[in-house]
Amino acid sequence: MKQYWNEVQPIDAFTVVMNGILHQHDKKIIALLYQPLIGPISTTLYNTLLYMVEEGRTLSEEWTHYHLMNAFDLNLEEIYHARLKLEGIGLLKTYTQTNNDRRSFIYELQPPLSAEQFFTDGMLNIYLYQKLGQTHFLKLKKSFTEKKLDMKDFSEVTRSFQDVFTSMGANTLAHSEGHTASIPEHEEEYFHRQKSHPISIDGSHFDFDLLFVGLSEVMVPRKLFTSAIKDAIAKLSYLYSINAIDMKNIVLQSLTPDQKISIDDLRKNARDWYQMENETRLPQLVDRIQPVIHRENETRLETKEDKLISYLETVSPRQLLIDLSDGGEPSKSDLQAVEDIMFQQKLPPGVTNVLVHYVMLKTDMKLSKNYLEKIASHWSRKKIKTVKSAMDLAKSEHRQYQEWASSKKDSTQKRKKPIRTEKLPDWFVSQEDSSHNDAEMQTEELEDKLRRLEAIQRKYQKNGGDKGGKN
């Protein structure tokens, strides 16, 4: 992941262009449907860019990013993160150009989906439902719908153009300059309402070849997999984390009697599969990695702890588990435990990483769900949002957490030999005590399990040093 200062600087200029005229109804859609998913800062950034374009125009003057920083009273890192959310959800396209070491941007505002497109998207509507809950979601949907007027007993009596108007004749029209005068000038175009485009999920993350291997050509002909069907499968696999093996059964369940694949059935069967796997819960839209607004030390990577913080802030919890397993896929139970604390306790990804790091080292590289949830609940009540504050709280509450861990082990370890000296994360150990802890004897079994984590830490400390050297 590139650091934001490589992507944009305060002195960089930008111009806002609108991809079509926005109506008042569009602003309602953004405020009520998009804002719960992207947050108030991204929504305000969209509106601010919109108001930089004069009323009735589609192109703004040139500004610098200093202006945005002053207008928002935010640093550029937070504005950049808000911009990425707008890009990801389809409300903004960004273009850049560099001339003679001067970098400039074009921010092209995209119209939002219509209310009907949003509520039938198959992905955004699910995220919104989970975010708002059933009662609020249904009330919101009602505000965008109305009773359909019954016109079956009415007959249309509208007159056509030629019924009402008459022409002055072909000769008059042929000599008119109106045709030429109506053509826009060079490099100009008329204002128009652009068609909005649904969110597109890159299908590269899904293994269609493996899906086809598991489906007989006779039973499910390849011609059934139209671009619309493949797009729906890619979206559903992303939304519900469905692999090709499980998707095969969902596709088979979605075949209609006339041998077609129903998109509505695909959505229903994928949702049912997910809810069976996740105790009836629906997926939520969350940040993959620690939000920029809750990061620290991105420009200071001097100490070992700084580099570890940078790693935990820029890696997803799933990737952390993969790194700890030497590239192997984490178990479903481990992923479920991590997902539960992120969704139920509302812990940011970076804070979740600290928790996983701490618990894994204290429980012999095993992710104890009960222990994980108990500490996560404590951090949630403390409203921990940053990696550094999570580390500090773990240090200050270590004795309490140790008691929780010991009480859990008492019943299972009564007949076992005395437990070995526990290993603590490097960030937990104070500088003056590190030599003492390094000298503690560990068994070969524990050392072997910890070697993976230490190798990962060294790898990212090196990467962190490389990043720091570029500044």
Side-chain angles (χ1 to χ4, degrees), residues 40-49 52 66-75 79 82:
I41 297 179
S42 294
T43 305
T44 304
L45 176 59
Y46 184 93
N47 290 330
T48 301
L49 295 176
M52 285 180 169
Y66 274 123
H67 177 81
L68 288 179
M69 295 166 67
N70 291 330
F72 281 89
D73 193 25
L74 295 174
N75 61 47
I79 294 172

Side-chain angles (χ1 to χ4, degrees), residues 386-427:
T386 70
V387 168
K388 184 67 166 62
S389 59
M391 288 179 171
D392 291 341
L393 184 61
K395 293 174 186 177
S396 64
E397 298 291 337
H398 172 58
R399 193 174 298 277
Q400 176 65 65
Y401 297 161
Q402 197 172 24
E403 291 178 4
W404 292 347
S406 298
S407 62
K408 178 182 179 298
K409 293 178 181 179
D410 282 346
S411 59
T412 60
Q413 294 186 338
K414 286 181 179 179
R415 302 176 188 175
K416 292 184 180 181
K417 295 179 181 179
I419 60 173
R420 61 181 70 90
T421 304
E422 72 172 328
K423 175 79 173 177
L424 292 173
D426 289 344
W427 52 262

